[in-house]
Amino acid sequence: MDHPKPKVLPAGHHCPSLGMWALEAGSVRFSVPPSISRNSAMVNEPGGHGGPNPCLEGRSIGRESSMVSSRCSTRGLKPERHERLREKMRRRMESGDKWFSLEFFPPRLAEGVANLISGFDQMGAGGPLFIDVTWRPAGDPGSDKETSSMTIASTAVNYCGLETVLHMTCCCQSQEKITCHLHKAKRLGLKNILALRGDPVGDQWKEEEGGFCYAVDLVKHIRSEFGDYFDIGVAGYPKGHPDAGSFESDLKFLKEKVSAGADFIITQLFFEADTFCQFFKACSEIGITCPILPGIFLIQNYHSLQQLVKLSKLEVPQQIKDKIEPIKDNDDAICNYGIDQAVSLCKKLLASGLVPGLHFYTLNRTMAAMQVLKRLGMWTEDPRRFLPWAVSAHPKRWEEDVRPIFWASRPKSYIYRTQEWDEFPKGRWGNSSSPAFGELTDYHLFYLKSACPKEELLKMWGEELNSEESVFEVFTHYLSGEPNRNGCQVTCLPWNDKPLATDTGLMQEKLLRMNRRGVLTINSQPNINGQPSSHPVLGWGPSGGYVFQKAYLEFFTSRKTVEALLQVLKKYEFRVNYHIVNVKGENITNAPELQPNAVTWGIFPGREIIQPMVVDPVSFMFWKDEAFALWIKQWGKLYGEESPSQKIIQCIHDNYFLVNLVDNDFPLDNCLWQVIEDTFELLDRPPQTDREMEAT
């Protein structure tokens, strides 16, 4: 198909002072990005500036995609990424590798959602097999509200990369409504359902007209309407359901749910290991063979224990009551006791040989669960990643393994802006004249905004800014980790809501010098030439491989600095690629118009080269809009209208340039530091007289 081509404008267009330097630089182009449709295709072609050429076959990305498939894919990097939940369970059971899973519930207020998503990221680092999200009938659970069960579960899958089980109940829902919810769940990338009857809204269960009264009917309906698409879990009750006539009759109902198509069982909470062991043996005796996961309740305060016992209609053992009563008004003491009690219970369960894994009811309090898991030796945080960016667990993104580097610190934004793509780059990005990036206008979305409250951001970024140098200080404190004038550590910036990447420490001193001088870095990576993939800081991908990187810097800086930088870059024309752009889209670059530059790649045994990060010139123009907008949307909005602080941020937004630099000679020492030093030296020279300028 034909693609719109960038308009090449005369040198100096819209930017006369930079135009003089650009003309002298030789191959520099000034361009305005093409008008790009959401539904345009992005076509891969062989070749790439300075990077490896791992695949000779490409494929197109977007709605008009080719049927030709790339030979490279992520499947070889991490096969379990493609496995269904029940397959993951089976593999772990066969290997004897115990797992853990975590339950969360949607917060009642929108203010709590960002913190919950931050908790997902935090707990995801420990390696849960899956998380599950409860269904709250009173909270419009199938809607698009921030606090709905559907939205929270979808966020966990798409933006946090977590295998996620969505609870679904029969309560207050017709068969038609349930079917609609299941179709929506499938469309959002959810593949697992925990099928429950649900608790009645009042004291007594009320039958919904055209609905289901029992979980077994819901399981049958899912299998009838969706076949084998969903993996289905059901609830088990170690002491029998309180509404069942007997323990034996409740086991019979559980067997019916498994026979109807359930793949695994998660039990109601219990307090003693023998309770679960007896239940497990009773299930085995009637022919239930699917995985049965014990539900572990962490006692964290007296009130939550009372509430949960009331809902579940369980009796707390006397020995636990005796421990709790004397400390019921001391939350810290109860929490510590709850951790000790959970560790003891879990150790007994694991020693029984009957449990394949442990399922924790977190009550959205992640720290206690993390402490229990660490004490059990089940917290398996691995600093290495199988790709150097955060992945999505949506099935349609399973084979995605290439992204532009610009969103390295804002992966949720990248996923949001590419959510309408039908296919994603595999193996290589290719020649991309029109990537179909969606517009990012909703900076308030809970999974894109900072988890820090406004008051905390002001303490970090300055309750009052006096000059542009005040902004420089914020960047340097973020890099150094030293407290600012308020005695507060700067733990995030608008372009990065997380602590510094570990490899930043390798460049810290040089980055600090740059930022103190107003070269405000928002993304960087060191050059790497064949480091083992097992390297604790730089490694990614399977063991036994080697990883490579070109040095990369991305920063905001003033027009004056850009003018000096362009003079310096003439000496590095054949080694350094650069893009320099301001908020108006005035773009200076020496890179090929539509050709991406591979800046990260890896070589692994028995696999083709993987190049997961590129500098793509067209994508950079989309990123530019987002990067500049963050000055206003996340920093400037903290201050009053027309206040001096807001005016300083606005001035930077309006007048600074966004620059990226790539040193293509990755086997040599990184030359970008020298480029910056030469730029500072040029800036520090005394201004030339008219006679000196004429002589020059």
Side-chain angles (χ1 to χ4, degrees):
M1 62 177 289
D2 294 329
H3 300 288
K5 293 186 177 179
K7 221 169 152 182
V8 179
L9 303 176
H13 182 78
H14 294 313
C15 197
S17 61
L18 294 180
M20 292 186 295
W21 306 123
L23 281 169
E24 295 174 8
S27 62
V28 175
R29 296 190 320 280
F30 287 77
S31 64
V32 175
S35 173
I36 297 179
S37 162
R38 242 180 128 79
N39 296 328
S40 300
M42 190 168 62
V43 180
N44 286 0
E45 293 178 3
H49 182 87
N53 185 12
C55 296
L56 296 179
E57 298 175 25
R59 75 184 297 169
S60 63
I61 309 299
R63 298 195 180 277
E64 301 179 49
S65 59
S66 163
M67 297 303 292
V68 180
S69 66
S70 168
R71 294 180 293 128
C72 296
S73 78
T74 316
R75 184 178 293 273
L77 277 181
K78 193 171 185 182
E80 57 268 33
R81 191 179 179 193
H82 300 257
E83 289 178 331
R84 302 178 64 130
L85 178 55
R86 65 190 183 208
E87 292 169 349
K88 293 178 182 179
M89 289 182 179
R90 182 172 61 248
R91 179 170 51 80
R92 298 283 282 268
M93 290 171 71
E94 289 171 353
S95 68
D97 186 13
K98 306 299 183 187
W99 73 77
F100 70 91
S101 52
L102 307 162
E103 180 175 291
F104 298 90
F105 62 83
R108 295 182 182 276
L109 301 176
E111 290 76 13
V113 178
N115 287 332
L116 179 60
I117 303 309
S118 178
F120 287 173
D121 289 335
Q122 184 182 46
M123 296 304 288
L129 188 67
F130 66 89
I131 70 161
D132 67 316
V133 178
T134 63
W135 188 262
R136 190 162 66 88
D140 200 4
S143 72
D144 293 330
K145 291 179 181 176
E146 290 185 9
T147 55
S148 78
S149 302
M150 189 76 74
T151 299
I152 297 297
S154 169
T155 302
V157 167
N158 288 286
Y159 298 99
C160 303
L162 296 171
E163 184 80 60
T164 304
V165 178
L166 173 65
H167 289 212
M168 186 78 68
T169 73
C170 305
C171 185
C172 304
Q173 300 197 98
S174 66
Q175 179 176 320
E176 182 181 5
K177 193 173 184 181
I178 288 171
T179 303
C180 287
H181 289 326
L182 290 166
H183 276 294
K184 183 175 183 178
K186 181 179 178 180
R187 187 174 70 253
L188 292 173
L190 291 157
K191 314 182 297 297
N192 312 297
I193 301 293
L194 189 66
L196 307 165
R197 188 196 74 165
D199 297 318
V201 175
D203 294 332
Q204 299 294 324
W205 176 266
K206 292 182 180 178
E207 185 173 347
E208 181 77 17
E209 184 177 350
F212 303 122
C213 290
Y214 301 103
V216 66
D217 298 319
L218 178 54
V219 174
K220 290 177 180 177
H221 177 69
I222 295 172
R223 287 290 177 235
S224 172
E225 292 292 321
F226 295 89
D228 204 38
Y229 175 80
F230 290 106
D231 283 5
I232 302 174
V234 293
Y237 298 85
K239 290 201 169 184
H241 193 283
D243 295 341
S246 67
F247 179 75
E248 290 73 23
S249 63
D250 191 49
L251 276 183
K252 178 185 172 186
F253 296 143
L254 180 59
K255 176 71 180 296
E256 288 179 6
K257 289 189 284 188
V258 175
S259 298
D263 298 295
F264 59 94
I265 297 167
I266 299 177
T267 76
Q268 177 63 280
L269 65 96
F270 55 90
F271 296 99
E272 296 173 308
D274 287 345
T275 303
F276 176 83
C277 294
Q278 291 166 13
F279 172 71
F280 182 91
K281 290 172 183 175
C283 289
S284 298
E285 287 170 1
I286 64 169
I288 295 176
T289 59
C290 67
I292 303 175
L293 308 183
I296 310 299
F297 172 62
L298 294 166
I299 300 172
Q300 296 181 60
N301 63 56
Y302 190 70
H303 175 70
S304 66
L305 176 62
Q306 284 185 314
Q307 286 293 105
L308 207 61
V309 166
K310 180 182 176 182
L311 286 172
S312 59
K313 300 179 182 178
L314 289 176
E315 184 67 28
V316 179
Q318 188 61 45
Q319 65 266 30
I320 293 180
K321 288 181 180 179
D322 293 342
K323 292 281 189 180
I324 291 289
E325 282 297 326
I327 58 172
K328 66 181 181 181
D329 296 323
N330 186 334
D331 282 353
D332 289 341
I334 288 183
C335 185
N336 289 333
Y337 168 75
I339 290 170
D340 290 340
Q341 188 266 342
V343 169
S344 175
L345 174 62
C346 292
K347 285 182 176 178
K348 291 175 183 176
L349 291 169
L350 293 169
S352 73
L354 301 178
V355 301
L358 303 169
H359 185 74
F360 291 88
Y361 297 109
T362 70
L363 302 184
N364 291 5
R365 295 170 182 170
T366 56
M367 295 309 296
M370 188 186 298
Q371 288 185 51
V372 171
L373 289 163
K374 286 183 176 179
R375 285 174 59 177
L376 292 170
M378 297 181 72
W379 184 264
T380 56
E381 189 165 352
D382 186 349
R384 290 189 304 127
R385 309 143 292 169
F386 80 91
L387 282 168
W389 34 258
V391 301
S392 168
H394 195 296
K396 72 178 184 179
R397 302 186 86 117
W398 276 349
E399 295 193 355
E400 176 186 23
D401 61 11
V402 190
R403 288 183 187 173
I405 194 173
F406 319 122
W407 284 272
S409 297
R410 284 179 60 81
K412 291 181 175 66
S413 169
Y414 180 81
I415 292 167
Y416 175 79
R417 298 189 68 172
T418 58
Q419 63 185 315
E420 299 300 326
W421 292 7
D422 294 325
E423 292 184 280
F424 296 86
K426 296 191 304 179
R428 296 175 61 257
W429 185 264
N431 184 320
S432 56
S433 58
S434 326
F437 286 98
E439 293 298 318
L440 179 59
T441 55
D442 298 325
Y443 287 85
H444 65 279
L445 289 171
F446 64 86
Y447 40 81
L448 301 183
K449 68 182 181 183
S450 174
C452 296
K454 178 180 178 180
E455 297 74 20
E456 194 173 328
L457 292 176
L458 281 169
K459 288 179 181 177
M460 289 193 288
W461 300 349
E463 293 169 338
E464 184 178 348
L465 302 175
N466 301 313
S467 63
E468 290 180 12
E469 284 71 20
S470 301
V471 175
F472 302 173
E473 284 184 19
V474 176
F475 279 79
T476 55
H477 283 294
Y478 176 63
L479 284 165
S480 70
E482 296 174 357
N484 62 15
R485 295 180 183 182
N486 297 324
C488 180
Q489 270 197 312
V490 181
T491 59
C492 65
L493 290 174
W495 304 269
N496 192 348
D497 201 37
K498 305 291 181 188
L500 285 171
T502 50
D503 63 355
T504 305
L506 304 175
M507 309 174 285
Q508 187 179 44
E509 288 304 317
K510 291 182 171 64
L511 291 171
L512 280 168
R513 173 165 166 74
M514 291 171 59
N515 282 267
R516 290 188 185 109
R517 294 289 303 265
V519 177
L520 307 177
T521 53
I522 61 171
N523 197 351
S524 60
Q525 70 175 30
N527 60 313
I528 302 173
N529 184 22
Q531 280 284 357
S533 60
S534 57
H535 192 284
V537 175
L538 304 171
W540 56 271
S543 298
Y546 294 90
V547 296
F548 302 79
Q549 287 181 175
K550 297 177 183 178
Y552 177 77
L553 285 175
E554 184 179 336
F555 52 85
F556 291 100
T557 197
S558 67
R559 177 179 292 268
K560 182 179 179 182
T561 303
V562 166
E563 289 173 351
L565 176 64
L566 281 168
Q567 284 199 71
V568 170
L569 284 170
K570 289 185 289 182
K571 297 189 296 183
Y572 299 88
E573 185 64 34
F574 298 105
R575 179 168 174 176
V576 176
N577 282 133
Y578 55 86
H579 296 82
I580 303 172
V581 64
N582 66 7
V583 71
K584 299 173 186 175
E586 298 163 1
N587 182 27
I588 310 168
T589 180
N590 69 340
E593 284 183 26
L594 303 177
Q595 187 63 58
N597 185 351
V599 291
T600 302
W601 63 99
I603 300 172
F604 306 97
R607 298 175 173 90
E608 293 188 352
I609 293 173
I610 305 295
Q611 56 171 57
M613 287 205 291
V614 299
V615 168
D616 174 54
V618 178
S619 301
F620 183 62
M621 299 305 288
F622 285 93
W623 164 245
K624 172 267 298 183
D625 294 334
E626 181 174 337
F628 274 103
L630 287 167
W631 282 106
I632 305 301
K633 299 290 186 179
Q634 292 211 9
W635 198 335
K637 75 170 187 179
L638 298 177
Y639 308 109
E641 289 292 330
E642 297 300 314
S643 65
S645 296
Q646 191 182 73
K647 286 180 179 178
I648 289 168
I649 297 298
Q650 188 71 52
C651 181
I652 291 174
H653 169 274
D654 293 347
N655 297 293
Y656 274 40
F657 284 77
L658 180 63
V659 179
N660 75 56
L661 305 175
V662 178
D663 178 3
N664 290 299
D665 283 345
F666 63 91
L668 306 181
D669 288 342
N670 179 359
C671 76
L672 299 185
W673 308 123
Q674 192 59 49
V675 169
I676 299 300
E677 286 301 319
D678 291 350
T679 301
F680 290 156
E681 183 184 343
L682 190 58
L683 287 168
D684 292 340
R685 289 179 187 172
Q688 289 181 309
T689 64
D690 290 342
R691 181 174 297 178
E692 288 172 331
M693 290 181 67
E694 286 176 9
T696 302

